[in-house]
Structures are given as structure tokens and as C-alpha cells.
Amino acid sequence: MGNTSSMLTQYDIEEVQQHCKDAFTQQEIVSLYQRFCQLDRNNCGFIPSDEFLSIPEFAVNPLSQSLLRMLDGLNFKEFVAFLSAFSPRATLHHKIEFIFKVYDTDCNGKVSFHDVLRALRDLTGPFMSEKQREKL
């Protein structure tokens, strides 16, 4: 898959659509590809995490650091698979798996006490002390 929407073939679209389990229509995939190309400023075929921070809505998200761990270095197919959890056509199971991955910050397959504390730090910032977080 190239860096312009004209280089996205019908085969590519169908492959991506199948990979994301039909969470997006073919037209939506083309639109996502155009956005991907805008974010891929270096034309290297993947988006480094700092490019995501250039999106204002992403940069202010309190969970952006956890999301960046999942996003760094995604190619287009992986980018669409990541975004598929936000699609209204995604299954509940897919959405739950995605949320679990956001909170499993050490990627050990468990959401530990440490993972929950990290999420609380991200969500509460300076408005809650470490002791209050631990008690919570």
C-alpha cells in the first residue's frame, strides 16, 4: 500500500476490510487511508507516536500515553485494526478486548494493581494524591 489514496487497490481495501472484521465500509477505509497518509508525514508507511500527538483531540486525552504504547509504528492495516474498536459495527467482545489492552500497561495479560494506579494517575493528574489513589 502506497502513500496516496490512488495507490490503494480494491484488493488492499478488501484485505483491510477483512482484517478489521468488516468494522468499516470500503468507503470508510479509503477515507481512513487518506487520513493515514496525512499523518505519515515522513512517507515511511507507518506512523510514529509523535505524529499522533499532533492531533489535538488525542494529545489532550488523559489515556494518550497508554494509547501511544499501542499505536507506535503502526502501518495502515494495523492502524485500521486499532480504530476498528471505535466503530459502531465492532462487536462488544472486540471493544472489551481493546479496553483491556489500554489498561494492561505492562502487557502481561492482567490488569494489576500497578496498572490501575497508572490509569488513575493519568485520569486524575494533580487532583488526587498518590495515597488517595492507592486507597481508591
Side-chain angles (χ1 to χ4, degrees):
M1 287 178 231
N3 285 332
T4 63
S5 60
S6 63
M7 296 182 80
L8 190 63
T9 67
Q10 182 64 32
Y11 176 80
D12 293 331
I13 294 169
E14 290 171 4
E15 182 182 1
V16 169
Q17 192 174 29
Q18 186 176 28
H19 183 71
C20 72
K21 299 178 178 138
D22 296 313
F24 296 111
T25 66
Q26 291 187 6
Q27 186 176 356
E28 289 169 329
I29 290 171
V30 170
S31 294
L32 287 171
Y33 189 69
Q34 291 168 345
R35 182 63 175 141
F36 178 85
C37 291
Q38 291 170 346
L39 291 170
D40 181 14
R41 294 184 184 135
N42 297 329
N43 296 323
C44 56
F46 66 91
I47 306 171
S49 59
D50 60 324
E51 297 293 341
F52 285 103
L53 291 173
S54 71
I55 303 168
E57 296 83 0
F58 187 85
V60 299
N61 186 321
L63 296 174
S64 63
Q65 292 305 309
S66 294
L67 294 170
L68 280 178
R69 175 183 46 79
M70 299 169 66
L71 285 168
D72 192 29
L74 295 184
N75 64 28
F76 176 65
K77 193 175 183 180
E78 295 162 338
F79 175 73
V80 174
F82 173 84
L83 292 176
S84 68
F86 299 99
S87 169
R89 293 187 265 320
T91 65
L92 179 61
H93 184 263
H94 182 65
K95 291 175 185 280
I96 291 169
E97 281 181 339
F98 177 84
I99 291 169
F100 182 85
K101 289 176 184 176
V102 170
Y103 290 101
D104 180 17
T105 58
D106 55 9
C107 302
N108 68 353
K110 300 173 185 171
V111 177
S112 66
F113 180 72
H114 173 73
D115 293 328
V116 173
L117 277 180
R118 174 180 255 159
L120 282 173
R121 267 187 226 107
D122 291 345
L123 293 170
T124 61
F127 302 106
M128 186 180 276
S129 72
E130 194 65 22
K131 190 171 188 165
Q132 288 173 312
R133 287 184 198 107
E134 289 176 9
K135 188 175 180 180
L136 183 63

